[in-house]
Amino acid sequence: MKTKSIRPVDEVDAWCIICMVARPGNRRQGVNRRRLQGAVDYARSLGTPAAEANPVDAEGRMDLTMAFAGTRKLFEQAGFEVIAVSDAQVSRLPRLIMSRVL
């Protein structure tokens, strides 16, 4: 991903998961958790060495219009680890740089 506010932290060729959106009525049912696992499984099947994401670390409920970035909790539950904090923000919260070796 090429952006000035989220810079690469290493030379690993990683797929970047940039958006997590579930339609109203489908939220809080594990849709994004299953989508995330599907993306990780697909990337792994193609031999991708790692997956990265840039979620926020929201305390409590987050404004749903800003939840597209995903949350730290969602990505941690999928085996991602925080490797840095970016300069980018969503709803005044810094976007984390999280990675998972595949």
Side-chain angles (χ1 to χ4, degrees):
M1 175 169 40
K2 294 192 182 232
T3 175
K4 292 180 181 179
S5 57
I6 303 175
R7 295 179 176 82
V9 294
D10 56 33
E11 297 299 319
V12 175
D13 187 24
W15 277 27
C16 188
I17 300 164
I18 60 170
C19 190
M20 302 293 298
V21 179
R23 292 177 54 185
N26 293 322
R27 295 180 181 146
R28 304 189 64 78
Q29 297 177 31
V31 172
N32 281 337
R33 185 172 44 255
R34 290 190 301 275
R35 272 192 200 148
L36 178 55
Q37 189 58 54
V40 166
D41 292 345
Y42 183 66
R44 182 184 300 117
S45 77
L46 296 176
T48 306
E52 288 186 357
N54 306 113
V56 295
D57 190 4
E59 293 184 21
R61 290 194 51 91
M62 185 176 179
D63 176 0
L64 292 179
T65 62
M66 296 298 156
F68 68 89
T71 62
R72 177 181 185 157
K73 180 179 177 182
L74 172 70
F75 285 92
E76 282 181 336
Q77 289 173 342
F80 286 70
E81 296 179 359
V82 176
I83 58 173
V85 178
S86 76
D87 294 333
Q89 292 190 353
V90 171
S91 198
R92 297 190 191 123
L93 296 170
R95 291 185 76 168
L96 306 172
I97 300 173
M98 297 185 75
S99 181
R100 176 177 168 180
V101 173
L102 304 179

